[in-house]
Amino acid sequence: MISYGERVIYNLVGFKEVSISDIVRKEATMDGTPDDPSHWGADLSKGFLGSLESIKDQIASVIRANFKFGVGIIDEYLYSLVLLGRYMWLVLLEITAPIAMLALFMSDDKNNYKETWKTWLRHMIQCHLLGAAFIIANLFAEIIQRIISNDYGYDNVFTILFILVIKIFLYAKSGQYVYRTI
């Protein structure tokens, strides 16, 4: 349901969703063909040091591609993980709802348990507001990702890490603003 709601919002804004892992897969097919002899083997025409250099370049490109793919998967499922944490918190709050209601009804002049109920209610409101805050943060993060990827592309590992840090920062800030508001 969350994914469907996110796609509806993206369609309303006119934003086409593209993930890093899709771009990395596309990049991997464009990096060279396996039929090319210099793609997989050492280039013996450059001598021993040249062949070592080409092997080093091949290993570095494999490491870079795997790193990009791993960060792409984290980027693709980061929003789902953030929402999963929020829903687990909501389930725990709903499990403790009877205790908060009992605290409200058992409160009298001697025993003031109303603070327990107020704390539970505040956490419930915060948890529901986090859903909207994370949707807005994710939309901004996707727009920033699109701008950065158009300017710099995904060939630089630091660009991919920067995008991931921006997303995590926006999720943290949106949660911080919700907690500060209520």
Side-chain angles (χ1 to χ4, degrees):
M1 264 176 62
I2 300 297
S3 177
Y4 177 74
E6 183 182 8
R7 275 187 250 123
V8 167
I9 290 172
Y10 284 156
N11 288 335
L12 288 175
V13 177
F15 185 75
K16 293 196 186 327
E17 187 176 0
V18 177
S19 67
I20 290 178
S21 58
D22 293 338
I23 293 171
V24 169
R25 279 189 212 109
K26 183 177 159 188
E27 239 181 50
T29 59
M30 295 170 32
D31 278 347
T33 61
D35 299 334
D36 185 11
S38 66
H39 183 71
W40 295 107
D43 189 7
L44 298 177
S45 64
K46 295 180 183 177
F48 181 70
L49 291 178
S51 63
L52 284 179
E53 187 70 27
S54 68
I55 290 172
K56 182 188 83 151
D57 291 342
Q58 290 170 7
I59 291 172
S61 69
V62 167
I63 291 172
R64 243 188 342 265
N66 286 330
F67 180 75
K68 285 181 188 180
F69 185 72
V71 171
I73 291 207
I74 291 171
D75 174 58
E76 193 170 332
Y77 294 110
L78 182 65
Y79 180 64
S80 300
L81 289 174
V82 168
L83 285 183
L84 177 70
R86 180 192 156 285
Y87 282 119
M88 299 225 0
W89 182 30
L90 184 62
V91 166
L92 289 174
L93 284 172
E94 288 177 358
I95 289 172
T96 59
I99 297 170
M101 295 301 163
L102 281 174
L104 178 66
F105 292 121
M106 292 178 65
S107 184
D108 57 6
D109 293 337
K110 289 192 292 183
N111 302 322
N112 190 6
Y113 298 120
K114 288 185 182 179
E115 286 302 315
T116 304
W117 183 78
K118 287 178 185 177
T119 303
W120 175 83
L121 184 63
R122 186 180 76 242
H123 284 285
M124 238 1 210
I125 292 170
Q126 286 174 347
C127 192
H128 284 294
L129 286 177
L130 278 177
F134 288 153
I135 288 173
I136 293 169
N138 191 51
L139 183 64
F140 282 132
E142 293 290 331
I143 290 171
I144 291 170
Q145 176 180 346
R146 180 68 54 94
I147 291 169
I148 289 174
S149 67
N150 284 343
D151 289 345
Y152 299 107
Y154 283 105
D155 55 347
N156 190 350
V157 174
F158 294 112
T159 304
I160 295 174
L161 280 177
F162 183 68
I163 290 169
L164 189 64
V165 167
I166 284 177
K167 283 189 173 192
I168 293 171
F169 175 76
L170 286 176
Y171 291 143
K173 276 299 185 184
S174 64
Q176 199 176 48
Y177 287 135
V178 167
Y179 295 137
R180 217 181 298 156
T181 303
I182 303 292

